Amino acid sequence: MPVPDQVDQLRVVDQAKPAELWWLGVHGGSGESTLAGLVPEWPEAGHGWSRTAAPGPDRVVLVARSNARGLKAAQAAIMQWASGQVPSIEVLGLVVIADAPGRLPRPIRDLAQVVSGGVPRTWNVPWVETWRLGEPLALADAPREVRRLFDELRVILGPGAAGTNN
């Protein structure tokens, strides 16, 4: 796997406390803070690969917007991880959050499909107008796709579940 240019690589962030799961926004405005606000025990990683003193790999879900910039940033992060540049990271998947209401244009759908091939699983989160307006976050009020994402992650993180790590 080729290594992305240094400028396209995410930094490694030393975290004071371990977490069961980290949301890693691969670019500014990705939505990692929003997802972290829905389940506070799964914090945002601060746009960098989390490194903790915990035994075992740090589990990460990449987060990107559904636009060309966001998907290309996700692709670079996936390449960085897959090339072994961030050892002890277990990437559980990629969350692609809609950057606008409505259906994605074909070139973006095609790019998303290519990028998704580099991770174990991908979840798509629709446009949520209330998030844009800054209304309080509540998982119970989130769209079905978001609740399903969190349910699936709880199963993946459960005892005996295994993912992919480097």
Side-chain angles (χ1 to χ4, degrees):
M1 175 64 66
V3 178
D5 290 336
Q6 185 72 28
V7 70
D8 294 326
Q9 293 184 26
L10 296 173
R11 60 195 169 90
V12 175
V13 177
D14 288 319
Q15 303 288 356
K17 298 186 293 187
E20 182 180 37
L21 172 120
W22 295 94
W23 299 108
L24 172 49
V26 297
H27 60 89
S30 63
E32 74 174 337
S33 298
T34 300
L35 295 175
L38 292 169
V39 178
E41 62 268 21
W42 297 346
E44 58 186 292
H47 300 293
W49 299 102
S50 292
R51 179 171 52 198
T52 66
D58 288 301
R59 293 171 162 176
V60 170
V61 173
L62 304 174
V63 183
R65 286 288 176 176
S66 65
N67 54 42
R69 179 178 166 263
L71 293 170
K72 288 177 183 176
Q75 188 173 42
I78 292 165
M79 289 173 56
Q80 183 181 3
W81 167 73
S83 66
Q85 298 297 302
V86 284
S88 298
I89 295 290
E90 180 178 356
V91 172
L92 301 179
L94 168 66
V95 174
V96 178
I97 300 179
D99 68 324
R103 186 173 164 95
L104 292 176
R106 184 178 232 9
I108 298 296
R109 284 194 317 267
D110 293 346
L111 178 58
Q113 185 174 3
V114 169
V115 172
S116 294
V119 290
R121 60 196 60 81
T122 301
W123 298 274
N124 293 295
V125 171
W127 177 258
V128 182
E129 187 67 25
T130 57
W131 291 355
R132 183 178 198 206
L133 298 173
E135 294 184 16
L137 298 172
L139 187 55
D141 298 332
R144 177 183 71 245
E145 296 89 344
V146 175
R147 293 190 312 271
R148 187 178 309 130
L149 158 67
F150 282 87
D151 289 344
E152 287 181 24
L153 284 170
R154 285 187 184 99
V155 169
I156 292 166
L157 294 169
T164 306
N165 60 13
N166 286 334

